[in-house]
Amino acid sequence: MSDRKSKLQKYSAPALEKGLDILEYLSLTDSRPTLSQLAAGIGRSKSEIFRMMIVLEERGYISRSEGDIYSLTDRISTLGAERSINSRLSEAAKPYLEELAGKTGLSNHLSVLDGSDLLVIANANAPHYYGLSVQVGYRTALGGSAAGACFLADLPTSQQRRDVLERLAQQPTPDMLAQLDNMVSQCRGGGYASASNAETNAILELSAPVVAIARKETIAAITIACFASDSMTNRLPGMADALRAAASAFSNKLAITMPTTGGNGLLQLGAL
């Protein structure tokens, strides 16, 4: 017996195995089985899988129709597609992020909208000994940041932006909305937004939108983070030019390599 097989037997997870058996069976069958038929199909009793079926249905992986017949939903494929898109975006962004880091001497990162949060999926470190680097996987709230403003700039009105933030369980204050309106205006007029970091005013963030050109929707944001200082203030015009150029070049590349990439969904949410 191989070491791998021994480890798998030692660390077996019966409940997970049942769930995978159910999903695999439903993915392979051409019919829509009842609970009894499904139980027989995977060699288990109805009582063994009943609670598992309830959980899978509540989580959206399977659906139950009239007559208590079951079928697989598209949730798994959707999760896989989202991961694939983020992976492809991350890989495609690397040369643009690295070139931007080289031009500015500063770290930068790429964020996408993931649910109600901004998720960092790629980064490039400063080419020097130190820099402000944000790790891949870091999450932050949509409202109150320069990157968030790039996404929310897709929405035409301040009221729509407020409604979206509230639907995403973020409670915008009047000061936050005023700051957001200023950043949106800056993004629309200048191609980038700037703001102090939400956690500390000592850090300044500049963000530019990466756009799905065919859909005219923001799909990502490139952000440069730096220490707020007089010397950095003097460098802002050059940094902004390099940032806009990187975001524009990446948008044009995606229009060729990933032309069907969807937008951030905020336009649909804002129209509700």
Side-chain angles (χ1 to χ4, degrees):
M1 183 180 294
S2 68
D3 290 340
R4 175 174 171 78
K5 189 173 182 180
S6 298
K7 288 180 180 179
L8 288 176
Q9 288 181 340
K10 181 179 179 180
Y11 297 109
S12 63
L16 177 59
E17 290 174 359
K18 292 177 191 177
L20 293 175
D21 286 344
I22 293 167
L23 295 176
E24 289 173 358
Y25 181 83
L26 289 174
S27 71
L28 295 173
T29 184
D30 292 327
S31 61
R32 295 192 297 169
T34 63
L35 181 62
S36 296
Q37 292 168 335
L38 196 156
I42 63 175
R44 299 181 183 273
S45 68
K46 289 169 55 177
S47 60
E48 278 186 281
I49 66 170
F50 178 75
R51 286 190 296 177
M52 185 63 64
M53 297 292 287
I54 296 296
V55 172
L56 289 172
E57 184 180 357
E58 288 180 344
R59 296 294 293 268
Y61 289 96
I62 64 175
S63 63
R64 178 163 54 98
S65 304
E66 187 176 353
D68 287 338
I69 56 177
Y70 293 88
S71 60
L72 199 63
T73 69
D74 63 354
R75 177 161 174 74
I76 290 180
S77 60
T78 300
L79 291 175
E82 287 299 322
R83 174 56 57 192
S84 175
I85 289 172
N86 284 349
S87 297
R88 291 172 64 193
L89 280 174
S90 174
E91 182 178 355
K94 273 296 182 181
Y96 299 94
L97 302 185
E98 290 172 357
E99 182 179 5
L100 178 61
K103 287 182 177 179
T104 62
L106 298 167
S107 302
N108 60 72
H109 57 272
L110 183 78
S111 302
V112 297
L113 187 61
D114 185 59
S116 60
D117 298 328
L118 293 177
L119 172 67
V120 175
I121 63 170
N123 61 12
N125 291 325
H128 305 303
Y129 293 111
Y130 63 89
L132 292 173
S133 179
V134 178
Q135 298 300 311
V136 171
Y138 176 74
R139 289 178 177 273
T140 187
L142 176 64
S145 68
C150 291
F151 287 92
L152 290 164
D154 284 354
L155 299 173
T157 69
S158 178
Q159 184 61 50
Q160 285 177 304
R161 293 189 286 273
R162 175 177 179 173
D163 290 345
V164 163
L165 290 175
E166 289 178 345
R167 290 190 184 108
L168 295 177
Q170 298 179 25
Q171 301 301 321
T173 64
D175 287 344
M176 179 192 292
L177 289 172
Q179 181 190 37
L180 178 58
D181 286 344
N182 289 334
M183 287 191 289
V184 165
S185 296
Q186 184 184 21
C187 187
R188 290 174 177 170
Y192 78 101
S194 62
S196 296
N197 179 271
E199 296 179 2
T200 173
N201 288 330
I203 297 174
L204 179 67
E205 295 177 342
L206 279 69
S207 298
V210 176
V211 179
I213 294 175
R215 297 173 181 266
K216 298 181 180 179
E217 289 184 67
T218 301
I219 58 174
I222 300 176
T223 300
I224 296 174
C226 61
F227 290 109
S229 65
D230 291 340
S231 62
M232 283 298 176
T233 299
N234 294 333
R235 292 180 54 192
L236 286 183
M239 290 163 52
D241 286 344
L243 176 61
R244 282 192 299 252
S248 177
F250 188 30
S251 298
N252 290 331
K253 178 67 173 180
L254 293 178
I256 299 171
T257 60
M258 298 175 64
T260 60
T261 302
N264 61 50
L266 291 181
L267 286 175
Q268 291 82 356
L269 188 58
L272 294 178

